[in-house]
Amino acid sequence: MGFSNDQNDKVLITIDAINAELDGINDAVFKDIQTDGEIVTVIYLSSLIDNLTLHRTVIAPLLTNKDDILKAAEVPKKITITSILSSITDGDTIVYFHEKNLFVTVNTYSPPTSSIAQSDAESTVSGPRDVLTESLQTNLSLIKRRIKNTNLKSRDFIIGTETNTKLVVVYMETIVHQENLDRVFKNIDEMDWPGFNDITIVSQIMETHKYSPFTQYHMTERPDFVTSSLLDGRIVIMMENTQGALICPSTFFEFFMSPEDEYNRWTTATLLRCLRFFGFFLTIMLTPFYISALSFHPEILPFEILINLQESRSKVPFPPVIEVLFMELVIEVLREAGSRMPTKIGQTIGIVGGIVIGTAAVEAGLVSNTLIVLVAISALLSFLPPSFTMSNSSRVIRYLFIISAGIFGLYGQMIAFAWLMIHLLNLTSLGTPYMTPLIPRKWSDLMDNVIRLPIHLQKQKKGVSRAMTKKVPPTKGEK
Amino acid sequence: MMDQTKQLNGYHVVFLVQNVMMGTTLLLLPNLLSSVGYSQWWLPLMFALIANLLLIPMVWLMSQYSAYNLFAIHETLLGKWLGKGINVLLILYLIVLIAATCEGYLELIQVVALQDRTITGPLFIFFLLLVYIVSGGIKSIARFCIISFFLVTWMIYFMKWGITEGDIRHALPLFNFSMQELFTATKNGFFSMAGFELILFYFPYIIHQKKVFKQASLGIWICGILYFITAFVSVMYYSEWQLENVLYPVLYLFNAVKFSFLERVDVIAITLWVFFILSTASAYLWVVKKGIDSIRASENKSHLYIISLIIYIFINIQFPEEFQNKLYERVHFVSYGFMIWPIFLCIIHVLKAKKEGVK
């Protein structure tokens, strides 16, 4: 045992002082325990600690052989009233030995957590099924189970001026680019925000382009995706009480990749990726094109199609742009209402609402048949990207395209498209251009992007993260 | 001197050079060259060669002053006042050039896509976007050039219909034109190569300055070959009378395209063309902004806004049509002078160097 009592020489902390600080906290427990020879006071917050854990780690050793607890517990070299209080709010138990005038802290934090379940937001058909949970420890263990390597480093931060939330930055030391890492550390250090309920708030604060409709950091709740990102040299940020991890930097194209692509054959993966990627452009172009074609350039459509369209529109009294906006908003309302209602009712309302509104709106002469089809297709296409934030973005900018098509027709659409392109080109994620690997081009990344080539061609690390080693580094054992 | 962060790589240079060259002129190129009749198809290759030769003095001059752009070189070579005077003239020329490009395109949009509309509204959003692109700096413009190249150039596939319906025998006989006709065609058509001379302004921003000549030549030749294909297909497709009298031959070439689901491809083509016009105009606007910066000796974002506003108002003023046409036509001749101008600057530089050597 190598503890000394000099912590007491420097500060005078009394039970009363701690008691005064914890006054008004209803679950703060001060328990005096009579052990053989002296009285010991145990202080903890009962809401953070499971009774069984407390009994096993603190009470039982104190009653049987109190030296055991001194061997097992952490004896802080220097203690202050703040450090004691922060240990208590962290879920530790403080044990105070009256005779020795000695404080020790025992790690007893054991809040209830949800079990490792299947992913709802990023479900896949094949591949691992486990998903990150609210517990930071569990999440770290899920990752460390996959990467058994001492190069996997992590650094802790406390963020949130009021909530003191714990945040961990995880990275592979040998692969990650130091400049990226410094940027992340700096961003986190500078964060000045009272409280963090979810890691998406961290992402919003860290983003450089705050006015953009596009999110610049990828958010995932799949440990396998986290692992492959880490091996690529990305930096992963995780926070306690959040079911998800932030991956930075990310690029535009990665929002169209599903973790499942890695487990599929390259042909299937390529087909699906192309669908998702071109679906993004179709979803923002389809209904605006309907507006442009009908209200500005009817001559671009062949006569037969035009006649069909006009026939189906013959009962509709509004201009196409109002018609489209009306129908898109109805779909949006259906989606929002469906997701807010309890699951069982939500589904029913969704189906019934969709069918009823679909047919009734046509018969009532509010919208045309063709438009119902187009809006339904574009709504479906908008849900193709595996990342929910990207599908949200695509739906938002679609309105920009609809309105510009309503004002200037195809010309407006192309102007909006040019805006989208230049905006995407100007975006950066942690200093990395958002449109990598297309512009600036990185050949190594193009192998695994919209088109995924067979796996033996993808030996190199992604250039996006500016990885230090091009190939997978040897483990320490091999050196 | 000014913000000299080197940020343009080889790809940026290639696409900056070639995309700035392709503006509205590609749409009317076969018409401009019509005075030589069916022999016009090889002229773009000759133009590319001339442009490449003109590039030599430019690159040589710039490599002597690798950290300066042309505005700064004028001030060093010609003295402060004369230099600034020339810079002002240059800026005025560029403003008229931007106005000519934008107005030409938007009038086309008005005719083809947005009938019965004034150009005020479309022009306004065009300028909003233009300012947005230019405020991102030269690198942002270069990247936009790359993406617009790939978004628009696939339309070359539409030439297929022109080829199948055309007659390859039109390409021969060669050289049945007089010198006078060749001169007129060159005078009218060489303007289509304008744009590569902007290398005089973004040279200081290029990372590998030693390779510039190669990269810029590549840009010129990509553009030359695209012009060549267009001219050749037009020669095949049109009669000589049509070449002379159809104002936008390339547009009608798109019209030949037949799909079962799409009738008038030219409407889509001309609206997609906005990418080319934006990249051309944004590069010129960036140069004007740099020019104002150098005259006022301070970098300021407001210069960009003021200049854009001036050009916007300039386009919206209703000049007498005759005056306007003449003005825009003359601008083309100024640009020839501007392309030759670096040769004089080279001579002055050599003379000055000799004089200092004697001293």
Side-chain angles (χ1 to χ4, degrees), chain B residues 9-160:
Chain B
N9 66 26
Y11 289 87
H12 292 150
V13 177
V14 172
F15 286 103
L16 258 180
V17 166
Q18 74 93 17
N19 247 38
V20 174
M21 288 157 82
M22 294 208 277
T24 27
T25 31
L26 176 53
L27 293 175
L28 35 103
L29 183 70
N31 178 258
L32 294 176
L33 301 178
S34 59
S35 58
V36 289
Y38 276 151
S39 299
Q40 60 162 276
W41 56 269
W42 58 270
L43 281 188
L45 296 180
M46 185 186 82
F47 290 169
L49 191 68
I50 298 173
N52 213 341
L53 290 176
L54 285 172
L55 190 67
I56 299 171
M58 289 182 193
V59 172
W60 186 81
L61 179 72
M62 291 318 286
S63 55
Q64 304 301 312
Y65 299 88
S66 58
Y68 286 16
N69 65 17
L70 190 66
F71 294 121
I73 291 178
H74 279 157
E75 287 190 34
T76 6
L77 272 183
L78 306 172
K80 201 175 171 196
W81 290 110
L82 187 59
K84 280 203 172 173
I86 289 181
N87 287 350
V88 170
L89 289 180
L90 201 58
I91 287 168
L92 288 178
Y93 149 70
L94 289 170
I95 286 177
V96 178
L97 189 69
I98 296 173
T101 314
C102 298
E103 193 166 358
Y105 173 69
L106 280 156
E107 273 169 3
L108 201 57
I109 281 282
Q110 197 185 8
V111 171
V112 179
L114 294 172
Q115 289 101 337
D116 320 321
R117 296 283 292 258
T118 57
I119 64 166
T120 323
L123 189 68
F124 185 70
I125 56 163
F126 182 87
F127 263 83
L128 280 187
L129 194 59
L130 197 60
V131 169
Y132 182 56
I133 298 173
V134 177
S135 59
I138 187 71
K139 194 172 180 180
S140 159
I141 297 169
R143 286 177 168 172
F144 186 73
C145 284
I146 300 180
I147 209 141
S148 46
F149 178 80
F150 288 109
L151 281 175
V152 184
T153 323
W154 61 269
M155 283 201 297
I156 202 114
Y157 173 74
F158 288 154
M159 296 288 168
K160 194 191 103 176

Side-chain angles (χ1 to χ4, degrees), chain A residues 132-200:
Chain A
L132 298 175
T133 67
E134 293 88 20
S135 156
L136 197 53
Q137 292 307 318
T138 318
N139 292 351
L140 280 171
S141 101
L142 281 173
I143 294 166
K144 295 203 176 189
R145 264 187 244 171
R146 288 180 162 84
I147 306 179
K148 294 163 187 159
N149 190 332
T150 47
N151 286 329
L152 181 69
K153 306 285 182 192
S154 47
R155 188 165 147 185
D156 291 1
F157 290 88
I158 302 290
I159 55 166
T161 46
E162 301 295 329
T163 53
N164 293 324
T165 314
K166 196 171 166 189
L167 181 122
V168 181
V169 176
V170 190
Y171 55 94
M172 293 293 285
E173 196 184 27
T174 40
I175 311 176
V176 76
H177 197 273
Q178 192 59 40
E179 205 179 300
N180 284 350
L181 203 57
D182 292 342
R183 275 196 192 133
V184 170
F185 289 163
K186 190 167 160 273
N187 279 338
I188 295 174
D189 280 333
E190 284 171 357
M191 240 172 244
D192 180 28
W193 195 256
F196 291 88
N197 274 329
D198 193 77
I199 200 154
T200 41

Side-chain angles (χ1 to χ4, degrees), chain A residues 28-281:
Chain A
V29 179
F30 284 75
K31 199 187 266 179
D32 288 341
I33 297 174
Q34 174 72 49
T35 61
D36 50 339
E38 64 175 324
I39 288 181
V40 175
T41 305
V42 178
I43 313 165
Y44 60 91
L45 297 184
S46 61
S47 57
L48 295 176
I49 295 162
D50 170 32
N51 262 338
L52 194 64
T53 319
L54 182 76
H55 190 79
R56 212 171 42 217
T57 50
V58 182
I59 311 287
L62 279 177
L63 293 175
T64 50
N65 184 3
K66 72 172 191 262
D67 285 343
D68 277 1
I69 203 165
L70 289 176
K71 284 174 194 159
E74 196 184 330
V75 182
K77 273 267 158 57
K78 195 184 159 191
I79 54 165
T80 58
I81 191 102
T82 7
S83 74
I84 285 191
L85 289 174
S86 77
S87 306
I88 291 175
T89 52
D90 270 353
D92 291 347
T93 300
I94 301 288
V95 184
Y96 177 61
F97 295 87
H98 286 259
E99 212 127 285
K100 292 187 187 121
N101 190 16
L102 171 75
F103 284 97
V104 298
T105 59
V106 187
N107 183 8
T108 48
Y109 180 58
S110 47
T113 53
S114 60
S115 60
I116 302 171
Q118 288 212 16
S119 171
D120 279 338
E122 291 171 89
S123 59
T124 57
V125 181
S126 53
R129 295 293 163 87
D130 51 350
V131 63
L132 298 175
T133 67
E134 293 88 20
S135 156
L136 197 53
Q137 292 307 318
T138 318
N139 292 351
L140 280 171
S141 101
L142 281 173
I143 294 166
K144 295 203 176 189
R145 264 187 244 171
R146 288 180 162 84
I147 306 179
K148 294 163 187 159
N149 190 332
T150 47
N151 286 329
L152 181 69
K153 306 285 182 192
S154 47
R155 188 165 147 185
D156 291 1
F157 290 88
I158 302 290
I159 55 166
T161 46
E162 301 295 329
T163 53
N164 293 324
T165 314
K166 196 171 166 189
L167 181 122
V168 181
V169 176
V170 190
Y171 55 94
M172 293 293 285
E173 196 184 27
T174 40
I175 311 176
V176 76
H177 197 273
Q178 192 59 40
E179 205 179 300
N180 284 350
L181 203 57
D182 292 342
R183 275 196 192 133
V184 170
F185 289 163
K186 190 167 160 273
N187 279 338
I188 295 174
D189 280 333
E190 284 171 357
M191 240 172 244
D192 180 28
W193 195 256
F196 291 88
N197 274 329
D198 193 77
I199 200 154
T200 41
I201 301 172
V202 175
S203 130
Q204 286 172 46
I205 293 177
M206 272 176 65
E207 275 170 2
T208 347
H209 309 269
K210 294 195 169 63
Y211 296 108
S212 168
F214 294 96
T215 166
Q216 287 130 54
Y217 300 112
H218 209 144
M219 159 100 178
T220 181
E221 50 180 51
R222 291 181 60 97
D224 53 334
F225 194 61
V226 170
T227 314
S228 54
S229 307
L230 281 171
L231 293 180
D232 245 1
R234 313 293 168 90
I235 301 158
V236 172
I237 305 174
M238 291 193 290
M239 199 178 86
E240 60 181 351
N241 312 324
T242 294
Q243 193 178 16
L246 210 60
I247 293 166
C248 37
S250 309
T251 65
F252 178 67
F253 296 96
E254 278 167 355
F255 288 95
F256 300 97
M257 295 180 186
S258 158
E260 200 180 10
D261 294 349
E262 276 183 56
Y263 315 126
N264 268 329
R265 290 201 57 75
W266 69 276
T267 42
T268 324
T270 304
L271 174 73
L272 293 177
R273 273 188 194 171
C274 288
L275 270 183
R276 290 183 209 129
F277 183 69
F278 292 108
F280 173 83
F281 291 101

Side-chain angles (χ1 to χ4, degrees), chain B residues 179-248:
Chain B
M179 269 326 271
Q180 184 59 40
E181 281 165 347
L182 178 66
F183 179 72
T184 321
T186 313
K187 190 184 81 179
N188 291 334
F190 191 68
F191 177 68
S192 58
M193 298 309 278
F196 73 95
E197 74 276 4
L198 288 195
I199 199 130
L200 294 166
F201 300 97
Y202 50 72
F203 192 85
Y205 297 87
I206 295 168
I207 303 168
H208 305 293
Q209 294 185 333
K210 292 227 164 86
K211 293 183 187 161
V212 165
F213 183 71
K214 220 160 68 186
Q215 289 155 356
S217 308
L218 186 61
I220 288 176
W221 281 99
I222 291 178
C223 182
I225 285 169
L226 284 176
Y227 282 174
F228 166 72
I229 295 171
T230 319
F232 193 81
V233 176
S234 312
V235 162
M236 279 170 69
Y237 186 71
Y238 290 112
S239 71
E240 272 187 83
W241 183 88
Q242 281 171 322
L243 279 177
E244 251 173 74
N245 292 291
V246 177
L247 185 54
Y248 290 102

